[in-house]
Amino acid sequence: MDIGWLVTNLIAAFLLPPVNLLVLMVWGAWLLRSRRRQRQGRALIWLSAAGLWLLSTPYLAGLMLDALKPPRTPIAGGEAEAIVILAGGVYRGNLEYGGDTVGRLTLERVRYGAWLARATAKPVLVTGGAPAGGVAEGRLMQAVLEREFGIPVRWVEDRSSNTRENALYSARLLKAAGVERIFLVTHAWHLKRAIPEFQRAGLMVIPAGIGYAAPDSPSVLDFVPSARGLLDSYYAMHEGIGLIWYRMRNLF
């Protein structure tokens, strides 16, 4: 297991829901033990409860994700020379498939990448390593694309452990093949972090984001807390923290 990846994810866990809200709640409960700090303790407990309610609301979560998405870029097909699909997670030891397989986010990206490959006839690169051990995500993506979608994969990048390394190692493979312009397939809320990394690696990027939707009026259920809402808030906050971290690193 990559120790740097583990430490980064442990730190991130304490900054993201639900752990950050649980920490606030426990802190508040601890302050209740002191007569002089009971007011602050109750305030922290109410703050954590309010945060859980709001972050679990699909409406707010949707707003947070939409704020991260750049405007959608129409694709004609001739703008780029290759398609790059970013990994987004894996299911380890999956019994149905006899071992590791692509996670939900990765599968969504792979599906759109396959559709785009058929529409544009461009070669495909998949990128994703195995920082937690097991089979590299890039290899799992290749297997799904070729066996289940019938799309050949020309390049597999299987060393990376984060978006920055996705870009760095993928660019080396592509430049060796004379490719400089790519369609970048990932979730739309991840593009703001991913695009600059691939540009910094020397590639021209045409965003091919997924997760765009036509505007629609919210329903009553959009204001009712749900596990889906909390998960979307998690993704939004994860990306926001990632953007800040990457920009800080670029200053040094």
Side-chain angles (χ1 to χ4, degrees):
M1 179 178 290
D2 187 319
I3 299 300
W5 173 88
L6 178 61
V7 171
T8 299
N9 279 270
L10 279 174
I11 294 172
F14 281 88
L15 298 175
L16 296 168
V19 177
N20 58 356
L21 300 174
L22 291 173
V23 169
L24 273 182
M25 185 178 294
V26 171
W27 187 11
W30 184 79
L31 290 177
L32 288 178
R33 300 172 57 190
S34 170
R35 289 184 179 181
R36 292 182 300 174
R37 296 185 176 181
Q38 287 186 353
R39 193 173 191 178
Q40 296 96 316
R42 285 192 294 269
L44 287 177
I45 291 172
W46 277 107
L47 180 62
S48 64
L52 179 61
W53 180 286
L54 291 172
L55 292 175
S56 299
T57 304
Y59 180 75
L60 177 62
L63 290 179
M64 292 169 65
L65 284 178
D66 287 343
L68 291 167
K69 299 175 183 177
R72 183 173 179 273
T73 303
I75 293 175
E79 302 93 334
E81 303 159 296
I83 298 168
V84 174
I85 309 173
L86 300 187
V90 62
Y91 294 139
R92 294 296 180 196
N94 191 276
L95 296 180
E96 296 94 327
Y97 294 99
D100 298 348
T101 189
V102 295
R104 179 176 67 85
L105 296 183
T106 304
L107 183 58
E108 291 176 1
R109 297 173 185 181
V110 163
R111 181 187 180 194
Y112 182 57
W115 182 91
L116 193 61
R118 290 195 182 96
T120 64
K122 302 299 181 182
V124 173
L125 179 147
V126 292
T127 170
V135 182
E137 289 183 78
R139 296 296 171 184
L140 297 173
M141 295 162 74
Q142 177 188 27
V144 171
L145 278 165
E146 293 183 343
R147 298 174 190 172
E148 300 178 29
F149 288 95
I151 298 296
V153 174
R154 183 171 299 183
W155 306 278
V156 179
E157 186 288 300
D158 58 5
R159 299 168 50 205
S160 57
S161 59
N162 54 52
T163 303
R164 177 159 291 181
E165 292 180 358
N166 286 151
L168 180 63
Y169 300 149
S170 295
R172 291 175 183 172
L173 293 173
L174 293 169
K175 288 179 180 179
V179 174
E180 296 182 350
R181 295 175 293 131
I182 62 166
F183 292 117
L184 184 60
V185 177
T186 186
H187 282 79
W189 39 260
H190 183 225
L191 284 170
K192 280 189 177 180
R193 185 153 61 104
I195 291 172
E197 296 305 317
F198 279 83
Q199 291 174 333
R200 192 173 291 107
L203 297 171
M204 180 182 293
V205 178
I206 291 82
I210 62 174
Y212 289 101
D216 193 15
S217 300
S219 72
V220 174
L221 291 177
D222 289 323
F223 298 93
V224 177
S226 68
R228 180 178 66 85
L230 185 61
L231 181 60
D232 285 346
S233 290
Y234 172 91
Y235 291 145
M237 292 181 67
H238 183 276
E239 282 305 307
I241 291 171
L243 277 169
I244 293 171
W245 173 240
Y246 273 35
R247 288 171 182 174
M248 288 176 60
R249 288 180 64 183
N250 291 337
L251 295 176
F252 301 100

